[in-house]
Amino acid sequence: MYLEEFVTALSGESVETAVSEGRCLAEPIGCGESTVDENGNLEYDSDDPTDEVWYSLDWQMTGLCPACQDELDEPDDYLAAPSEEAIETAVSLLDLWTELEPDDDSE
């Protein structure tokens, strides 16, 4: 199954359909809300004029409105930041893994 087919199966519509209708993909992927104002301009919450270009490109590729795009970029509150101990353990395991890998010269 291709990504477009997966999106269509999950939301009941394609990215192309949502964009052509000027809105975000339907739930559960997007919010289904209109993404353009009465003049046909993409609505977004930013003072940076270059954001319109990026939001527009992302919307056309993903079908997600700027608000849904921003939501994806925000870290999830329920995910705990790794502790210093967990980071040190992971680094130690990676170091050990590197030591255990066979040298290419020894073959």
Side-chain angles (χ1 to χ4, degrees):
M1 178 181 289
Y2 294 104
L3 182 58
E4 182 68 24
E5 293 170 331
F6 177 74
V7 167
T8 301
L10 193 58
S11 70
E13 65 186 355
S14 69
V15 169
E16 184 179 338
T17 298
V19 171
S20 69
E21 293 177 1
R23 59 183 173 72
C24 188
L25 275 171
E27 292 184 11
I29 297 177
C31 65
E33 298 294 319
S34 174
T35 58
V36 293
D37 62 17
E38 62 275 351
N39 297 321
N41 298 318
L42 183 68
E43 293 181 310
Y44 61 97
D45 187 23
S46 174
D47 294 330
D48 186 347
T50 60
D51 281 348
E52 182 178 8
V53 173
W54 294 115
Y55 280 132
S56 180
L57 287 172
D58 284 349
W59 172 54
Q60 292 174 35
M61 288 187 305
T62 66
L64 296 176
C65 69
C68 287
Q69 292 173 35
D70 289 346
E71 191 174 307
L72 286 176
D73 291 338
E74 294 173 5
D76 294 324
D77 293 337
Y78 62 88
L79 295 177
S83 67
E84 195 65 37
E85 181 182 352
I87 293 170
E88 289 173 7
T89 301
V91 169
S92 296
L93 289 171
L94 287 172
D95 289 343
L96 180 60
W97 180 261
T98 303
E99 290 174 18
L100 295 174
E101 284 185 324
D103 291 335
D104 290 334
D105 298 335
S106 63
E107 294 180 29

